[in-house]
Amino acid sequence: MANYVYSYTTVRNANEDAKTIFRDFAILLNAHEHSADAVAELYGEEVGNTAGWMIDRVGAKWLTVEDASEEGLSLTSAWSPPETLLDKLHEKMLAVDPNVEIYMTYEDEMPNFLGYKAWKGDDCDEEYFDDDTYKYIYEDWKTSEQ
């Protein structure tokens, strides 16, 4: 059984065209029974029937939509965050708004890792904390609170 990875994505500093792209993708995610159909529409392709097809386009072998709106996306994926999917969404939004900002946080259910990725115009910033780092940060925080 795959580990679930929970991700939360929001958009800031977007013009109306970029907001429309994000909103339309959220509508696609809600409209399709299978998230792969929405992914295929975003990429302008036919749906592939393999886990490899999803991994190449999403960054994970499956994707479940918990909530999708113009306010943000709450997604669950297998083993990895949907980073590749958001790279593609950012690419489309950046084409109409050079200042658009997309923020994603994610965490593995165990937690084996957690992190964030921020797309700000042409720049990208990310941080990944593995299990050992996460435990160290938590223990350091816990000690400082006492």
Side-chain angles (χ1 to χ4, degrees):
M1 182 173 168
N3 278 16
Y4 291 11
V5 177
Y6 307 106
S7 63
Y8 310 93
T9 304
T10 58
V11 174
R12 295 185 203 145
N13 199 34
N15 67 23
E16 289 306 313
D17 291 336
K19 287 179 185 177
T20 298
I21 291 169
F22 190 83
R23 184 195 70 234
D24 289 350
F25 184 62
I27 290 169
L28 279 176
L29 287 170
N30 287 318
H32 290 291
E33 183 178 346
H34 302 288
S35 60
D37 295 325
V39 171
E41 283 196 46
L42 180 68
Y43 278 86
E45 300 176 358
E46 295 294 319
V47 176
N49 281 338
T50 66
W53 184 89
M54 283 291 283
I55 290 169
D56 289 346
R57 286 151 190 83
V58 173
K61 68 179 182 176
W62 54 257
L63 180 73
T64 302
V65 180
E66 305 303 330
D67 186 40
S69 71
E70 62 188 51
E71 304 300 317
L73 306 175
S74 177
L75 307 170
T76 303
S77 52
W79 300 107
S80 303
E83 188 173 348
T84 306
L85 177 66
L86 293 173
D87 286 339
K88 182 66 171 180
L89 188 60
H90 172 254
E91 175 187 308
K92 288 187 169 285
M93 295 172 72
L94 187 62
V96 299
D97 183 355
N99 300 309
V100 67
E101 298 175 8
I102 301 175
Y103 297 89
M104 174 184 62
T105 60
Y106 57 88
E107 61 184 295
D108 174 75
E109 69 178 331
M110 294 305 286
N112 292 317
F113 59 85
L114 57 88
Y116 74 88
K117 187 167 182 177
W119 297 259
K120 297 178 183 180
D122 283 335
D123 294 329
C124 183
D125 183 35
E126 59 187 310
E127 191 72 45
Y128 174 89
F129 301 101
D130 62 17
D131 186 33
D132 292 335
T133 306
Y134 175 78
K135 286 178 183 173
Y136 174 77
I137 292 169
Y138 177 74
E139 289 302 320
D140 187 51
W141 169 79
K142 199 167 130 183
T143 304
S144 70
E145 288 292 308
Q146 296 176 2

